[in-house]
Amino acid sequence: MAERGVDVSALPQEVREQLAELDLELSEGDITQKGYEKKRAKVLAPYLTQTQSKNTEISHLTPGYIHTEAVQAALAKHKEEKMALPMPTKRRSTYVQSPIDNCTPPLTHQINHFTNILDKEVYHYIVNSYTGISQGSRVDLPSNAVVRGMSRGQSRSSMMETADGVPVSSRVSTKIQQLLNTLKRPKRPPLSEFFMDDQEEIVEVPQADPNTPKPEGRQIIPVKGEPLGVVSNWPPALQAALARWGATQGKSPALTALDITGKPLYTLTYGKLWSRSVKLAYTLLNKLGTKNEQIIKPGDRVALVYPNSDPGMFWVAFYGCLLAEVIPVPIEVPLSRKDAGSSQVGFLLGSCGVGLALTSEICLKGLPKTPTGEILQFKGWPRLKWVVTDSKYLTKPSKDWQPHIPTANTDTAYIEYKASKEGTVMGVAVSKVAMLTHCQALTQACNYCEGETLVNVLDFKKDMGLWHGVLTSIMNRIHTISVPYAVMKACPQSWVQRVHIHKARVALVKCRDLHWAMMAHREQRDTSLASLHMLIVADGANPWSVSSCDAFLNVFQAHGLKPEVICPCATSPEAMTVAIRRPGVAGAPLPARAVLSMTGLSHGVIRVNTEDKNSALTVQDVGHVMPGALMCIVKPDGPPMLCKTDEIGEIVVNSRAGGTMYYGLSGVTKNTFEVIPVNASGTPIGEIPFVRSGLLGFVGPGSLIFVVGKNEGLLMVSGRRHNADDLVATALAVEPVKTVYRGRIAVFSVTVFYDERIVIVAEQRPDASEEDSFQWMSRVLQAIDSIHQVGLYCLALVPANTLPKTPLGGIHISDTKQLFLEGALHPCNILMCPHTCVTNMPKPRQKQPVGVGPASIMVGNLVAGKRIAQAAGRDLGLIEDQDLVRKHNFLTEALQWRAQTDPDHMLYVLLNAKGVAVCTATCVQLHKRAEKIAAALMERSGINIGENVVLLYPPGIDLIAAFYGCLYAGCIPVTVRPPHPQNLSATLPTVRMIIDVSKAACILTTQVLTKILRSKEAATTVNIKTWPIIIDTDDLPRKRPPTIYKPPNAEMIAYMDFSVSTTGMLTGVKVSHAAVSVLCRSIKLQCELYSSRQIAICLDPYCGLGFVLWCLASVYSGHQSILIPPMELEISLTLWLGTLSQYRIRDTFCSYSVMELCTKGLGGQTDILKARGVNLSCVRSCVVVAEERPRLALTHSFSKLFKDIGLSMRAVSTAFGSRVNLAICLQGTTGPDPSTVYVDMKSLRHDRVRLVERGAPQSLPLMESGTILPGVRVIIVNPETRGPLGDSHLGEIWVNSPHNATEYYTIYGEENLQADHFNTKLSFGDPQTLWARTGYLGFVKRTELTDSSGDRHDALFVVGSLDETLELRGLRYHPIDIETSVSRAHRSIGESAVFTWTNLLVVVAELCGSEQDALDLVPLVTNVVLEEHHLIVGVVVIVDPGVIPINSRGEKQRMHLRDSFLADQLDPIYVAYNM
């Protein structure tokens, strides 16, 4: 790289041209970095030998190179470490690149390339200095990391090896393994920075590092600019200068405007400017309203809406307003209702009280209109009256009318808009005297002379473009040539040509204009810049301006450009010009540069970088303080305390030439415009107020001012400051040409989990490949980590031209941030790195050793000072039950008794989708059908008493008859859900599994299902030849069994209940005859069920309480059950609610799936239901049957939605059962209403229960799971110690009840599990009672309500399944809580599910919006889980709706989902691996 030391300006012309051509090829991507360097070395070889010896020092490298070299070195270091980031998996269809509005086809015309390479707001000199990393330092990802998304049907599993060399057969686990390997690397913040978890507060600030650099200098002394000279012919007001030149130098040119090709369009003379401005002033004051009414009065604010291509009209309007003494407010031309920041401009117009807008005829025609032709009402804008200011519409004033030109005073002259970091647009008011003084100060600093020429490339509506190009130029009778932005896009070299043609003495540019001129250098061989006395660089305070200025000088020194004429300056809307470098004397040494340590800067301290040149920032000065001004540096936050000499602070200025206030916003004004600095002891240093400039910097040697950043670009991460512009510069140094479209990169911070997190968003080139983009993102991560020592939270690439633009085409940062937070950015690539940058997580909780210590000693009903958490239902034995219970121990006896004593009493009515009773059963009909089935079973040889028989029926009365048929024959029924005919491959294996596990001797089923079991389709899924005996019960002969079996005792098994738990476990439990009788009696008492009653059941009848209610309860209690198969609701949604209304049902039972179906499908149709006469006022109780925590949000919305059709808000409640006891709680008719409590989630994670008020932060609402059934006792137990807990603890719910299941039906003989789950004892307290463990966590709370016996009611709250809880960071999390947060994160997230894999939290979210929203969800999901649960998500998987498996009870099958994910069977839309 030594050739970089060559002085290019000293080389022969043809060599310089060859080099420029190479630069262009590289920037257009026509040549690689390696090829470029090779060719460049070849061209320079002959000239190297002479210069090599003297140019080896770093100081001779241009700073741009220093930065690129830093990035290269940083990445080379990472390459040695072999950083393997897993690449996200994307489904091919996910992202279709959006059409690019202004993308030029390659090689159409050379000039278009300049604009394609760099965008308007990218001021980086990419050609030489920022082309990024040489090919040699590419970061190699191992081949298995770059896995593409495969289309459906492709082979997905290939044997791979993880980083540890373990073979795995799934690309998903390979990626997770890579992710784990990446996360194992030690991260920068040492462990001391992790802090203890505090009960009260989650996050404490990490301890300060003792090695942090601290300022050591003395307190700064305010810096004074030279006195503002008094010149005899300076005008008393700016308007007076215009009047003077208009009268005495009328033919002298004031302004030349260019057309789109860069040729002069028209020239406005001082005479014309004066006469038109006077006409406009006269028209504004006298001709706008009727004769008597004056619409505009002096002092009113008027908006100026003129395009950048029309400076002449703007000048006339601006000076017309000044002459009329109305206050102009220049704003950008609105292009559409959805302009970036448009509503904020409305806020500005509102706060300034603007009611009138001046514009040109052409501009007015171009404004968006309504269909009626009126100008559109822009979002957030006040109503405006539009006035066209073209000459033909203006009235010439009468001879005696003259504009009033008073001496400049403190009244407001004009208002300049400025946007804050948050995007708010405010108006900075500039007084007449400040406007005049500023012009005088600029004239003195820049040494302007009367009659010289100035080329202005900046926006003339604000800032330097307005101050130099519109105001100071008039004061000095300067001829301004205005080069609009559109011309620069078409002819980047136009401004250089204008300087050459007009022999201009001053040019006003930004770094991007320097850059573009260099790009077009080949077309301007004959141009000369020798006439320039000042080249003012408006953004000279930016970190990349150094390299732009150097590079420009490098190229144009040969064209007469003198090094001393380059004058960077620093400005802000509030303080106006803060400092400007004065033009130097030829031959005098140029000012020195500061090479600062990035680490020092991040701590706000100035340290010259000596050791690690990779993390250095080179800055140039912006000259001295303005004439007549006083400046000091104060701390950017807190009271305005003076900084020390080696400390970075905010520049504050006292001067007559500055803004006076934010117009109409007195509160914000005080903090900015009336600052009085204080010294270390807090004493004000004087009386005079200073204005905050918003610029961060320091005063260097010789009182030179250095600016290192802006307040609004400041990112405070973990107490360190980073400048957004510095990060952009680093990102741009990472070979952006292949990936980033026109270098458009935005950097901002979002607050997540008590700290700011850095987000980088860039536009991706349309032709960039996924690998290139991912490579670029991983390199940017590494470069920023090495150079700035800060982690990035998120890196996103969006399609080209999709980020919101500022009027001059830059990126609108605050709108981009808003889109990111709303999930409306639609990235096409995203990389989240929460593991690496979130370093303020609480320390993982250390579990205390398990053991029953003295603290747990039990006294009476107290454990360690707290009431023991236990509760019981009513006593079963107190109420005698007619003769039935005494007579019949068995349900079979009860059915026979009912068939004899009340044969025609209707027990069951089955409805179809139309609400028609398709099948009914009286007591005697049910008895006879059961006899037929018993006879068929007894006739078959090979089926013996006590053998298991599988019942495979759709929900209906056949199932009930088959159940009693089995009991009559002495067989043990096992109900199984039939396979779905349209989905045999997924549903038949479960059927087969239960048949095999239960060792069934026979299958009872219908004719249709018999055919399905023996079909070809079934044969592809299971072996159909090995089915047990299949008996079709549809057309059995009328036969009676010889005898009806009566079990020898009630402890014999009545039936088996098989169910698949949410963790994917298939468990069967044995239920005895005694348990059946007690359970039925318990339900009868709780719900007051008698023969005269009717209940409606809309549940699946295959297991748990659903089966009990469908098949057993009616036979025991004699009430009539109206059966509604849930699948019929899919055909007719109104079936269930319509039935309740039609039959006037008082008690109904349903599942969450049914409730959700009605809520989603009928929620908006209550008016239609009402019109149909549906009325639910009859419903006294609607019980949701489930084995989970009550879904409060769902039951609440159901009650709320159907309140309009009479449903009582008190009707809905829940039941709770588990495998060991099918019904523990059931809201009956006599108990108090179920209560709701709010618990603190932080405590819950520690297994503590702390009640808080509704709406408290981090509160979780929980509803009681229904009243405990008669005969049931529950106690809350520590699952590890098995000791009873107090009522402020979360523990496992243990149950003691005569209707507990007997035991598991196991084929492996796991006796230890039996004893553990069904017959277990407390470790202390009451060691005699046998309890069954439900496997659910919950707590008991004594409420203020009383139960039927008059005692205070103990409520049982179920929190979640113990098997499903996630143990993360030593805390206990319940998946449903995380899922609730995830589903709230974005409107496009439907269902979501979470699980863990090797300590990584995986979130699967169903996308119900369009696929372009998919990647928006990744940061939102990560944010919400971090904010609300203090967990870092490892993998985010976005899938299609319906992918998350849900069982018949409406519960998520998370383990099943996990297995599918790891086996790569989900076909996800997108998988993001968070770093």
Side-chain angles (χ1 to χ4, degrees):
M1 300 288 163
E3 71 262 30
R4 291 181 175 167
V6 177
D7 179 5
V8 180
S9 57
L11 295 174
Q13 179 69 24
E14 66 273 15
V15 176
R16 288 209 304 271
E17 280 171 24
Q18 276 175 295
L19 291 177
E21 205 148 327
L22 274 176
D23 289 346
L24 190 65
E25 279 180 15
L26 176 68
S27 62
E28 288 174 0
D30 297 342
I31 184 174
T32 64
Q33 175 82 19
K34 215 169 192 171
Y36 164 80
E37 286 175 357
K38 226 175 188 171
K39 286 189 175 177
R40 183 181 161 94
K42 203 171 178 182
V43 174
L44 290 174
Y47 309 96
L48 264 177
T49 44
Q50 313 137 30
T51 54
Q52 194 120 31
S53 56
K54 60 184 180 192
N55 276 336
T56 48
E57 292 173 37
I58 294 171
S59 57
H60 285 265
L61 295 175
T62 67
Y65 284 127
I66 290 177
H67 198 110
T68 307
E69 289 211 334
V71 171
Q72 285 184 352
L75 291 171
K77 194 168 85 187
H78 273 280
K79 189 191 175 190
E80 290 160 25
E81 291 175 18
K82 271 277 187 277
M83 190 80 162
L85 306 190
M87 190 164 158
T89 312
K90 186 186 289 189
R91 192 193 287 167
R92 274 285 132 255
S93 62
T94 300
Y95 204 80
V96 182
Q97 187 79 29
S98 74
I100 307 294
D101 341 323
N102 48 359
C103 185
T104 326
L107 301 171
T108 44
H109 187 268
Q110 197 186 320
I111 287 166
N112 290 338
H113 272 301
F114 311 136
T115 35
N116 271 348
I117 289 156
L118 268 207
D119 202 78
K120 27 267 180 193
E121 289 290 322
V122 177
Y123 320 140
H124 304 260
Y125 169 40
I126 285 184
V127 194
N128 264 348
S129 52
Y130 281 171
T131 34
I133 307 145
S134 69
Q135 298 291 316
S137 62
R138 186 177 293 279
V139 179
D140 290 316
L141 296 183
S143 56
N144 61 0
V146 186
V147 185
R148 318 296 318 123
M150 299 184 185
S151 59
R152 291 176 201 247
Q154 267 179 275
S155 151
R156 284 164 179 271
S157 66
S158 56
M159 284 301 276
M160 296 176 181
E161 289 201 346
T162 59
D164 298 335
V166 187
V168 283
S169 59
S170 143
R171 68 178 179 164
V172 177
S173 30
T174 312
K175 291 198 168 173
I176 294 184
Q177 195 55 52
Q178 276 178 337
L179 179 55
L180 288 171
N181 292 344
T182 312
L183 298 180
K184 276 179 198 162
R185 294 198 171 78
K187 251 333 272 171
R188 183 154 280 100
L191 270 175
S192 62
E193 291 197 18
F194 287 87
F195 30 80
M196 289 302 294
D197 188 2
D198 187 338
Q199 275 286 270
E200 290 311 305
E201 216 21 81
I202 299 155
V203 174
E204 293 173 15
V205 182
Q207 292 304 306
D209 180 1
N211 304 325
T212 303
K214 292 187 172 57
E216 293 154 3
R218 57 178 173 75
Q219 188 173 294
I220 191 167
I221 298 162
V223 183
K224 213 173 182 153
E226 73 257 36
L228 188 57
V230 180
V231 180
S232 55
N233 64 350
W234 268 355
L238 195 58
Q239 304 92 300
L242 177 59
R244 173 184 166 194
W245 304 131
T248 62
Q249 302 277 350
K251 293 268 167 54
S252 175
L255 168 74
T256 298
L258 305 184
D259 66 12
I260 192 73
T261 64
K263 296 193 171 59
L265 186 62
Y266 61 80
T267 296
L268 193 64
T269 61
Y270 275 92
K272 276 273 188 315
L273 176 60
W274 166 249
S275 62
R276 286 183 192 171
S277 304
V278 170
K279 264 164 87 175
L280 176 60
Y282 177 73
T283 307
L284 284 176
L285 292 175
N286 302 295
K287 296 290 175 187
L288 285 188
T290 54
K291 277 238 162 74
N292 317 334
E293 138 191 69
Q294 187 181 8
I295 285 189
I296 284 284
K297 299 182 293 301
D300 286 350
R301 277 76 53 212
V302 171
L304 267 49
V305 186
Y306 293 92
N308 280 323
S309 54
D310 197 354
M313 293 293 282
F314 175 82
W315 280 39
V316 170
F318 192 89
Y319 281 103
C321 287
L322 290 186
L323 290 170
E325 293 189 89
V326 301
I327 300 171
V329 185
I331 60 168
E332 306 301 336
V333 178
L335 301 173
S336 73
R337 251 188 88 78
K338 289 189 174 163
D339 277 6
S342 152
S343 56
Q344 294 294 351
V345 175
F347 172 76
L348 164 80
L349 298 175
S351 63
C352 294
V354 173
L356 189 82
L358 305 186
T359 187
S360 65
E361 190 169 24
I362 296 174
C363 185
L364 191 75
K365 280 181 182 158
L367 289 177
K369 312 269 193 311
T370 61
T372 55
E374 290 174 30
I375 288 172
L376 201 66
Q377 179 63 29
F378 297 106
K379 194 174 158 198
W381 284 35
R383 285 221 165 276
L384 292 180
K385 183 175 162 52
W386 293 82
V387 175
V388 175
T389 61
D390 295 57
S391 280
K392 56 185 173 185
Y393 299 110
L394 303 180
T395 314
K396 200 172 180 188
S398 52
K399 287 266 188 287
D400 56 344
W401 190 87
Q402 278 299 323
H404 172 57
I405 303 179
T407 305
N409 55 18
T410 53
D411 295 346
T412 301
Y414 68 92
I415 294 171
E416 181 174 319
Y417 79 83
K418 82 146 273 189
S420 73
K421 186 177 182 176
E422 292 72 40
T424 320
V425 177
M426 302 182 283
V428 176
V430 178
S431 68
K432 292 172 181 170
V433 70
M435 175 171 76
L436 183 67
T437 312
H438 191 214
C439 290
Q440 293 167 351
L442 285 175
T443 304
Q444 182 173 325
C446 303
N447 200 6
Y448 280 127
C449 307
E450 194 181 314
E452 63 188 7
T453 306
L454 174 149
V455 173
N456 177 24
V457 193
L458 307 179
D459 180 4
F460 51 71
K461 292 191 287 297
K462 55 192 276 250
D463 214 70
M464 304 277 288
L466 174 69
W467 307 333
H468 288 259
V470 181
L471 306 178
T472 311
S473 59
I474 292 289
M475 189 166 115
N476 294 293
R477 194 175 66 79
I478 288 171
H479 176 200
T480 303
I481 291 129
S482 188
V483 184
Y485 172 63
V487 173
M488 284 298 293
K489 273 177 83 174
C491 333
Q493 75 282 20
S494 53
W495 74 268
V496 178
Q497 290 169 348
R498 288 294 123 203
V499 170
H500 168 73
I501 293 164
H502 295 274
K503 307 250 181 306
R505 282 198 71 216
V506 183
L508 258 153
V509 295
K510 279 189 165 181
C511 292
R512 58 138 201 251
D513 308 317
L514 300 179
H515 184 85
W516 285 4
M518 285 186 295
M519 305 292 276
H521 167 226
R522 281 189 289 192
E523 275 127 72
Q524 42 202 26
R525 294 185 182 162
D526 322 325
T527 47
S528 162
L529 298 183
S531 61
L532 277 182
H533 150 78
M534 267 191 108
L535 176 62
I536 301 175
V537 185
D539 53 354
N542 275 340
W544 49 71
S545 64
V546 188
S547 46
S548 295
C549 294
D550 286 358
F552 185 78
L553 180 63
N554 230 350
V555 173
F556 282 96
Q557 208 160 358
H559 295 262
L561 179 69
K562 299 182 280 293
E564 66 273 5
V565 305
I566 296 177
C567 299
C569 66
T571 65
S572 85
E574 294 84 355
M576 297 167 78
T577 308
V578 173
I580 186 164
R581 193 189 287 174
R582 318 294 195 258
V585 186
L590 291 171
R593 306 266 167 88
V595 182
L596 306 177
S597 146
M598 284 274 195
T599 314
L601 285 176
S602 72
H603 290 289
V605 177
I606 302 154
R607 290 287 177 267
V608 175
N609 187 296
T610 46
E611 295 128 28
D612 180 10
K613 67 168 198 248
N614 289 341
S615 56
L617 178 71
T618 305
V619 281
Q620 62 182 352
D621 67 280
V622 286
H624 290 92
V625 185
M626 289 293 284
L630 188 63
M631 170 199 285
C632 44
I633 313 280
V634 300
K635 292 195 187 291
D637 24 47
M641 193 181 287
L642 286 176
C643 286
K644 295 185 173 167
T645 46
D646 61 343
E647 194 174 2
I648 305 275
E650 184 175 6
I651 297 173
V652 293
V653 180
N654 165 266
S655 159
R656 283 174 67 202
T660 49
M661 61 175 162
Y662 291 128
Y663 199 93
L665 303 168
S666 50
V668 216
T669 294
K670 196 162 179 58
N671 295 340
T672 306
F673 294 92
E674 299 164 27
V675 174
I676 295 180
V678 297
N679 57 25
S681 59
T683 331
I685 59 166
E687 306 279 300
I688 51 170
F690 283 72
V691 176
R692 284 186 184 272
S693 68
L695 300 173
L696 302 172
F698 61 95
V699 180
S703 296
L704 286 172
I705 309 301
F706 288 86
V707 174
V708 294
K710 295 191 180 79
N711 241 343
E712 59 199 41
L714 196 62
L715 314 170
M716 282 292 284
V717 182
S718 307
R720 287 172 59 203
R721 304 179 195 161
H722 301 277
N723 187 357
D725 289 340
D726 293 342
L727 294 171
V728 170
T730 301
L732 267 171
V734 183
E735 205 170 9
V737 179
K738 283 201 296 201
T739 310
V740 181
Y741 178 67
R742 294 182 163 189
R744 288 170 62 79
I745 297 180
V747 175
F748 52 88
S749 66
V750 293
T751 304
V752 184
F753 195 61
Y754 310 101
D755 201 357
E756 282 189 40
R757 315 284 174 198
I758 299 175
V759 178
I760 295 188
V761 181
E763 288 189 359
Q764 178 175 307
R765 282 178 57 138
D767 54 351
S769 74
E770 204 128 310
E771 267 89 3
D772 284 346
S773 306
F774 190 70
Q775 280 277 20
W776 182 78
M777 294 201 290
S778 19
R779 290 171 172 211
V780 169
L781 276 184
Q782 295 156 5
I784 286 178
D785 186 57
S786 281
I787 291 169
H788 302 271
Q789 276 110 48
V790 66
L792 290 186
Y793 181 63
C794 176
L795 235 167
L797 287 170
V798 299
N801 275 322
T802 55
L803 288 180
K805 293 187 168 105
T806 59
L808 283 189
I811 298 171
H812 198 292
I813 302 285
S814 58
D815 273 25
T816 302
K817 175 174 172 174
Q818 202 48 42
L819 291 175
F820 175 79
L821 291 172
E822 286 167 2
L825 201 56
H826 309 322
C828 44
N829 268 308
I830 197 157
L831 185 58
M832 297 285 300
C833 311
H835 288 97
T836 48
C837 77
V838 179
T839 54
N840 60 340
M841 293 289 278
K843 244 198 182 150
R845 169 185 169 211
Q846 300 299 317
K847 283 268 180 103
Q848 296 307 312
V850 172
V852 183
S856 306
I857 286 177
M858 196 166 144
V859 187
N861 272 347
L862 299 178
V863 170
K866 300 269 186 232
R867 208 178 66 81
I868 282 193
Q870 57 184 354
R874 289 188 288 168
D875 197 341
L876 259 180
L878 290 178
I879 304 154
E880 279 305 327
D881 191 357
Q882 308 156 3
D883 304 330
L884 185 59
V885 179
R886 280 207 295 275
K887 272 189 192 161
H888 313 299
N889 281 334
F890 306 108
L891 268 186
T892 45
E893 293 179 340
L895 179 55
Q896 291 167 62
W897 175 73
R898 287 195 186 283
Q900 283 165 6
T901 56
D902 195 357
D904 299 327
H905 173 61
M906 187 71 73
L907 278 181
Y908 292 105
V909 178
L910 177 72
L911 302 184
N912 67 2
K914 292 180 176 156
V916 176
V918 282
C919 181
T920 57
T922 61
C923 299
V924 72
Q925 283 169 338
L926 184 62
H927 169 64
K928 290 208 165 135
R929 283 164 77 174
E931 282 190 322
K932 269 198 318 191
I933 290 167
L937 281 169
M938 288 174 174
E939 274 174 7
R940 284 290 172 111
S941 59
I943 302 174
N944 303 316
I945 288 177
E947 288 207 278
N948 299 339
V949 173
V950 162
L951 313 184
L952 203 61
Y953 290 93
I957 295 173
D958 285 348
L959 173 70
I960 304 168
F963 177 80
Y964 287 101
C966 282
L967 295 187
Y968 281 6
C971 296
I972 296 173
V974 180
T975 48
V976 178
R977 171 191 308 281
H980 197 292
Q982 271 79 50
N983 193 5
L984 284 181
S985 60
T987 53
L988 196 55
T990 311
V991 174
R992 178 84 224 198
M993 190 159 91
I994 297 176
I995 289 169
D996 292 347
V997 167
S998 64
K999 297 182 180 165
C1002 149
I1003 301 172
L1004 295 180
T1005 186
T1006 62
Q1007 205 169 351
V1008 176
L1009 284 165
T1010 306
K1011 282 182 186 159
I1012 288 173
L1013 292 182
R1014 294 189 169 134
S1015 67
K1016 282 181 186 165
E1017 290 81 8
T1020 59
T1021 309
V1022 296
N1023 181 356
I1024 58 171
K1025 292 181 179 148
T1026 55
W1027 289 123
I1029 302 165
I1030 299 177
I1031 300 177
D1032 160 13
T1033 59
D1034 281 0
D1035 300 311
L1036 290 175
R1038 280 197 169 172
K1039 276 192 181 171
R1040 292 181 65 180
T1043 56
I1044 289 178
Y1045 173 78
K1046 183 178 177 182
N1049 62 47
E1051 297 312 313
M1052 298 289 286
I1053 300 305
Y1055 74 97
M1056 284 210 296
D1057 188 299
F1058 271 91
S1059 151
V1060 179
S1061 74
T1062 49
T1063 52
M1065 295 280 290
L1066 173 69
T1067 43
V1069 291
K1070 300 177 180 177
V1071 184
S1072 68
H1073 287 280
V1076 168
S1077 298
V1078 174
L1079 176 54
C1080 289
R1081 179 158 174 230
S1082 201
I1083 293 171
K1084 174 185 164 75
L1085 290 178
Q1086 193 83 327
C1087 300
E1088 297 179 351
L1089 299 175
Y1090 305 105
S1091 304
S1092 54
R1093 296 282 303 284
Q1094 257 184 334
I1095 66 169
I1097 302 171
C1098 190
L1099 281 170
D1100 269 330
Y1102 300 108
C1103 63
L1105 185 54
F1107 168 77
V1108 173
L1109 291 165
W1110 190 281
C1111 293
L1112 312 182
S1114 273
V1115 169
Y1116 184 89
S1117 305
H1119 59 273
Q1120 187 187 64
S1121 294
I1122 294 170
L1123 307 176
I1124 305 165
M1127 57 195 184
E1128 301 289 356
L1129 256 69
E1130 289 170 22
I1131 306 164
S1132 163
L1133 264 178
T1134 53
L1135 173 62
W1136 176 48
L1137 299 180
T1139 304
L1140 299 180
S1141 171
Q1142 182 189 339
Y1143 288 85
R1144 313 276 309 141
I1145 299 288
R1146 286 174 70 187
D1147 300 283
T1148 179
F1149 297 86
C1150 71
S1151 64
Y1152 280 123
S1153 320
V1154 167
M1155 191 168 267
E1156 194 159 25
L1157 216 56
C1158 293
T1159 308
K1160 284 182 177 165
L1162 298 173
Q1165 301 180 22
T1166 44
D1167 294 345
I1168 303 169
L1169 292 173
K1170 209 184 251 178
R1172 283 196 200 159
V1174 175
N1175 182 350
L1176 301 183
S1177 56
C1178 53
V1179 177
R1180 180 177 63 168
S1181 82
C1182 166
V1183 180
V1184 190
V1185 173
E1187 294 186 10
E1188 58 177 302
R1189 176 201 297 181
R1191 299 189 201 171
L1192 192 58
L1194 177 58
T1195 56
H1196 191 69
S1197 26
F1198 179 81
S1199 307
K1200 227 172 171 173
L1201 284 170
F1202 298 110
K1203 189 174 73 176
D1204 294 354
I1205 51 172
L1207 182 67
S1208 155
M1209 287 298 276
R1210 298 170 57 185
V1212 179
S1213 62
T1214 62
F1216 169 64
S1218 71
R1219 291 285 71 210
V1220 295
N1221 186 317
L1222 305 180
I1224 297 169
C1225 302
L1226 177 63
Q1227 192 61 34
T1229 46
T1230 51
D1233 287 347
S1235 45
T1236 300
V1237 294
Y1238 293 84
V1239 296
D1240 177 53
M1241 280 171 81
K1242 298 197 295 282
S1243 305
L1244 212 53
R1245 291 176 203 139
H1246 289 266
D1247 294 339
R1248 296 275 187 288
V1249 178
R1250 189 163 71 91
L1251 298 191
V1252 290
E1253 291 301 312
R1254 180 182 177 173
Q1258 294 270 332
S1259 63
L1260 173 71
L1262 291 173
M1263 182 164 90
E1264 180 186 349
S1265 292
T1267 312
I1268 296 172
L1269 278 168
V1272 177
R1273 282 173 64 199
V1274 294
I1275 188 162
I1276 306 299
V1277 177
N1278 181 327
E1280 278 102 27
T1281 64
R1282 305 197 175 196
L1285 289 170
D1287 59 5
S1288 58
H1289 285 71
L1290 178 73
E1292 187 180 5
I1293 302 167
W1294 285 16
V1295 58
N1296 166 274
S1297 147
H1299 65 250
N1300 277 4
T1302 312
E1303 59 183 1
Y1304 285 132
Y1305 179 84
T1306 52
I1307 44 172
Y1308 306 112
E1310 293 179 6
E1311 282 74 23
N1312 57 346
L1313 210 63
Q1314 300 287 12
D1316 190 44
H1317 284 198
F1318 286 91
N1319 299 309
T1320 189
K1321 295 177 179 178
L1322 293 173
S1323 57
F1324 66 93
D1326 164 16
Q1328 286 354 144
T1329 312
L1330 287 180
W1331 300 88
R1333 299 180 61 170
T1334 62
Y1336 282 84
L1337 292 171
F1339 60 92
V1340 168
K1341 278 287 171 202
R1342 177 152 279 188
T1343 63
E1344 296 304 315
L1345 307 166
T1346 50
D1347 54 28
S1348 51
S1349 62
D1351 294 332
R1352 274 174 66 190
H1353 171 64
D1354 289 321
L1356 174 66
F1357 294 89
V1358 176
V1359 177
S1361 157
L1362 186 59
D1363 287 346
E1364 291 230 308
T1365 55
L1366 311 172
E1367 285 266 341
L1368 290 162
R1369 316 189 66 259
L1371 302 170
R1372 199 192 294 282
Y1373 288 88
H1374 299 272
I1376 183 69
D1377 298 327
I1378 301 175
E1379 288 156 2
T1380 305
S1381 300
V1382 168
S1383 298
R1384 259 201 333 262
H1386 191 275
R1387 62 181 181 284
S1388 295
I1389 297 179
E1391 200 54 85
S1392 63
V1394 302
F1395 51 83
T1396 52
W1397 192 74
T1398 57
N1399 283 343
L1400 280 182
L1401 180 64
V1402 181
V1403 176
V1404 180
E1406 290 182 355
L1407 172 71
C1408 27
S1410 73
E1411 282 199 358
Q1412 68 163 1
D1413 291 347
L1415 279 75
D1416 282 313
L1417 307 183
V1418 177
L1420 296 185
V1421 165
T1422 309
N1423 291 359
V1424 78
V1425 176
L1426 190 52
E1427 281 282 4
E1428 297 184 8
H1429 303 281
H1430 318 148
L1431 289 175
I1432 294 177
V1433 177
V1435 186
V1436 181
V1437 187
I1438 310 293
V1439 294
D1440 296 308
V1443 166
I1444 294 173
I1446 288 178
N1447 66 15
S1448 57
R1449 297 190 295 274
E1451 298 162 340
K1452 293 173 200 164
Q1453 304 285 85
R1454 297 182 184 91
M1455 291 308 113
H1456 186 59
L1457 177 71
R1458 178 179 124 157
D1459 296 342
S1460 305
F1461 169 68
L1462 295 174
D1464 197 28
Q1465 292 161 351
L1466 291 184
D1467 186 24
I1469 297 169
Y1470 192 79
V1471 182
Y1473 300 92
N1474 286 350
M1475 298 310 307

